[in-house]
Amino acid sequence: MDHHVFRYGGELCDLVVRRAAGASLYGPDGREVLDFTSGQMSAILGHSHPEIVATVRNAIAELDHVHSSLLSEPVLRFTEALSGILPESLSKVLPLCTGGESNDAALRMAKMTTGGFLVVAFDRSWHGVTGGAASGTFNGARQGYGPTLPGALALPTPDAYRSPFVTNGDYHWRDELEFGFQMLDRQSVGRYAAVIAEPILSSAGIIELPPGYLQALKGKCTERGMLLILDEAQTGLGRTGDRFAFEHEGVVPDILTLSKTLGAGLPLSATVTSAAIEQSCYDQGYLFYTTHAADPLPASVGAKVIEIIVRDALSERARKLGIYMKEQLLALKQRHEPIGDVRGRGLLLGVELVEDRRSKTPANELGARVSRRCLALGASLNIGRRSMGSVFRIAPPLTVTRDQIDTAVSILDQALTECAG
Ligand SMILES: Cc1ncc(COP(=O)(O)O)c(C=O)c1O
């Protein structure tokens, strides 16, 4: 297609969206396409949720933007609402716009508080494209831009499907974690700051941390005086069946970053930490002063998103619908040989396509064909690129209906039959 848009991430899709509502997108000809990626994994309330529409209308009319040194009522409301649904130790909120920003802010907090600068991330991590976040992003996108920040170190992604630490079907993730930290300690110049991690690695292909892993990781951090930063850009606010994915493991991070789902598709992110870390940063002159830090309009949206998630028990809904949808996808796996693995929890599910189940070679071409066919049949099911293999990341809005799930699964079924059959 001929257009004036800079291609910021490879090939852009041919679908030109005219309108979106609920879990559906509509093209120029009015054709409906189910949005099973919630936009960019963000629109958890569906598109144009009436209460969000009203909130934005009101905010733009009443209080849109202020100088970054000014507090505003929506910001006080939003930060109180967010800390109100988090453990007591996560009580100080820095409101920003994007996920990358929230992670950069977190890394600066960790560096200032610990005095260290070494940052550890999974070797298939994605934390954003801004400076610090990009340095801790190992899932491709590193080549061609010169040096990253010094001190970026990688830990093996605990991937139960592909790890070399799987023997006879048993996954020895503790050995892998031990091995990872032995490597880190040998490389370390002794000034650790933080580990940054997602509780379910989304861009890596929906990799759930094994049960107990997060607790063990936290232990490794504590031993070394490092902070644990959890990036819940995609897992936060109910998507995985818990309000926050860290609750599943009973591990509270030192710093939590939220984005994507926090604004339910509008640009709002937050870096949340303890009063002690906030005080330490403040005392040392911490600065993360951006044009849109603590902006009232997105904060109004964030307060409303939290209200709706809690009031409508959407994490519970995600848990139940996730169980239902995973069953349907596992049934597809019985019938379609190219489906090597189905994983994830809540409404953050992954379907990995392989050339054959023994070699597990990623079926990249097939994945691209199936994804295109799904779109033509009426479901936007995004296939991952970069180093993650050929994995559909399935993440509909938490307001999706069972009927819509059935339709999307049957479209995937048909596309697999046509493309692989
Ligand atoms: C886990 C995670 N963190 C951070 C980011 C970066 O967010 P943004 O693109 O809003 O900067 C992403 C984006 O995909 C993400 O998936």
Side-chain angles (χ1 to χ4, degrees):
M1 194 190 308
D2 198 19
H3 55 64
H4 296 276
V5 180
F6 186 98
R7 285 164 293 180
Y8 46 84
E11 209 48 56
L12 290 163
C13 187
D14 276 345
L15 176 68
V16 177
V17 182
R18 169 160 295 172
R19 188 170 77 79
S24 297
L25 309 171
Y26 298 89
D29 53 359
R31 192 171 76 88
E32 182 180 356
V33 172
L34 286 172
D35 181 5
F36 267 50
T37 60
S38 301
Q40 189 63 31
M41 314 296 274
S42 301
I44 44 172
L45 304 180
H47 297 280
S48 306
H49 188 288
E51 288 173 77
I52 298 296
V53 173
T55 301
V56 173
R57 283 210 170 109
N58 190 47
I60 195 77
E62 291 284 327
L63 183 53
D64 53 356
H65 164 78
V66 292
H67 187 269
S68 300
S69 68
L70 293 175
L71 283 174
S72 63
E73 286 180 358
V75 164
L76 293 176
R77 247 194 354 261
F78 161 62
T79 52
E80 187 181 350
L82 183 53
S83 64
I85 58 166
L86 285 167
E88 244 181 86
S89 63
L90 294 172
S91 60
K92 293 287 179 181
V93 180
L94 166 53
L96 297 162
C97 294
T98 68
E101 272 187 317
S102 69
N103 288 327
D104 269 33
L107 291 168
R108 285 166 79 124
M109 288 175 193
K111 288 175 184 175
M112 192 163 251
T113 304
T114 60
F117 71 100
L118 298 174
V119 173
V120 174
F122 287 127
D123 66 344
R124 282 155 66 193
S125 55
W126 183 279
H127 296 295
V129 295
T130 50
S135 300
T137 289
F138 291 102
N139 189 7
R142 280 179 89 80
Q143 277 112 45
Y145 316 106
T148 60
L149 292 184
L153 301 173
L155 181 67
T157 300
D159 179 352
Y161 186 59
R162 292 185 177 280
S163 169
F165 285 80
V166 175
T167 46
N168 301 324
D170 289 329
Y171 180 24
H172 307 284
W173 62 262
R174 281 187 194 277
D175 294 345
E176 189 175 39
L177 181 64
E178 248 355 280
F179 170 76
F181 267 88
Q182 279 169 20
M183 296 281 290
L184 289 169
D185 288 343
R186 283 185 206 124
Q187 293 169 81
S188 165
V189 292
R191 302 275 300 281
Y192 280 124
V195 169
I196 181 166
E198 280 180 276
I200 298 178
L201 284 87
S202 175
S203 303
I206 314 293
I207 311 292
E208 268 188 274
L209 300 186
Y213 187 97
L214 208 49
Q215 190 78 53
L217 183 62
K218 174 81 181 149
K220 295 277 179 214
C221 289
T222 309
E223 280 164 24
R224 289 160 181 78
M226 316 167 76
L227 302 189
L228 177 63
I229 301 170
L230 287 183
D231 176 352
E232 293 226 28
Q234 301 207 17
T235 54
L237 281 293
R239 172 157 304 289
T240 65
D242 292 290
R243 231 172 248 165
F244 300 96
F246 68 74
E247 292 170 356
H248 192 73
E249 289 293 315
V251 175
V252 179
D254 299 295
I255 307 179
L256 172 70
T257 62
L258 301 167
S259 52
K260 291 186 185 281
T261 57
L262 186 59
L266 291 169
L268 173 67
S269 65
T271 309
V272 193
T273 193
S274 65
I277 291 177
E278 195 265 354
Q279 187 67 49
S280 156
C281 287
Y282 175 77
D283 291 345
Q284 295 179 75
Y286 180 85
L287 191 83
F288 204 89
Y289 206 75
T290 73
T291 304
H292 296 291
D295 245 0
L297 190 152
S300 297
V301 171
K304 184 53 81 176
V305 170
I306 292 167
E307 183 190 321
I308 296 171
I309 295 280
V310 172
R311 183 195 67 202
D312 296 352
L314 289 183
S315 31
E316 191 61 26
R317 186 182 165 84
R319 186 178 315 155
K320 288 190 185 136
L321 287 175
I323 290 169
Y324 176 71
M325 187 164 186
K326 199 168 179 178
E327 278 168 10
Q328 314 298 308
L329 295 171
L330 285 167
L332 284 193
K333 185 180 170 212
Q334 301 280 325
R335 285 188 284 112
H336 293 283
E337 198 57 26
I339 298 184
D341 197 26
V342 172
R343 51 188 183 247
R345 61 179 195 263
L347 287 174
L348 186 60
L349 298 173
V351 175
E352 174 152 6
L353 302 188
V354 290
E355 284 184 2
D356 68 84
R357 289 184 183 179
R358 190 191 293 261
S359 75
K360 299 181 181 174
T361 306
N364 289 325
E365 273 180 29
L366 175 65
R369 278 205 309 280
V370 173
S371 178
R372 275 197 303 274
R373 188 66 193 131
C374 285
L375 192 61
L377 291 169
S380 171
L381 292 169
N382 169 262
I383 192 92
R385 286 174 298 178
R386 298 185 288 274
S387 59
M388 68 190 254
S390 191
V391 185
F392 282 99
R393 288 189 296 160
I394 300 180
L398 312 191
T399 51
V400 71
T401 63
R402 272 183 182 235
D403 282 353
Q404 287 169 323
I405 289 176
D406 291 344
T407 305
V409 172
S410 75
I411 286 176
L412 181 58
D413 190 6
Q414 183 181 339
L416 277 164
T417 306
E418 287 177 13
C419 299

